[in-house]
Amino acid sequence: MNTLLSRANTIFAFTLSILAALTFLCFLTTVSLDTKKEVKITTIKHSVRHTYTQYGENADLGAFYFDLQANLDPLFNWNTKQLFIYLTAEYETSKNKLNQVVIWDKIIKRTSNANLNFNRIQPKYPFFDDGHGLKNNQNITLTLSWNIVPNAGLLPRVYGNGKDTFGFPSEYTTHRI
């Protein structure tokens, strides 16, 4: 009546049920932890250039350096696989009510790399605006956000406590910063 194959199936199903329960417990132990951390962002040496996109359209290209300090060590626990952190620039133009551009990102896999102290970093990605929305724009806001990639559970998007607001000059520059 109970063949070897049905016994193996019963053991396998029971093992999967136990693993699913343990995975859910792993999620429950870390879901209520505080994931907000203090972040300090400062920018220097702002410039904006007139350029053309790859499609031949007029565009503004913003350039600057930024300093970034944040201690993200407490975000690592036994359910954290890695952190994906990214710096976004938000601004408003006459064309669009809200513009969001990711200008820098980093993947952190270990706690030894989670204490960020970067000085005079250039954006990793170009900061383009489809038109002339950067020239003389005095309300560019930089925000550091992160996704905590878990072993089991939700993938939250968390905004850091702290941001920097700066403005671009009213004249185009012809040289690189």
Side-chain angles (χ1 to χ4, degrees), residues 122-167:
Q122 278 189 309
K124 190 176 186 180
Y125 306 110
F127 186 10
F128 280 109
D129 180 66
D130 58 344
H132 301 290
L134 295 181
K135 180 181 168 184
N136 201 26
N137 192 330
Q138 300 300 313
N139 199 14
I140 311 290
T141 304
L142 293 181
T143 309
L144 185 71
S145 306
W146 53 83
N147 293 108
I148 302 170
V149 181
N151 291 314
L154 302 173
L155 180 67
R157 178 181 180 182
V158 182
Y159 294 97
N161 289 335
K163 55 187 171 183
D164 182 51
T165 302
F166 67 95

Side-chain angles (χ1 to χ4, degrees), residues 1-20:
M1 201 185 230
N2 287 334
T3 64
L4 183 63
L5 191 58
S6 76
R7 288 181 185 192
N9 185 32
T10 303
I11 291 171
F12 182 70
F14 179 71
T15 303
L16 283 182
S17 299
I18 295 297
L19 287 175

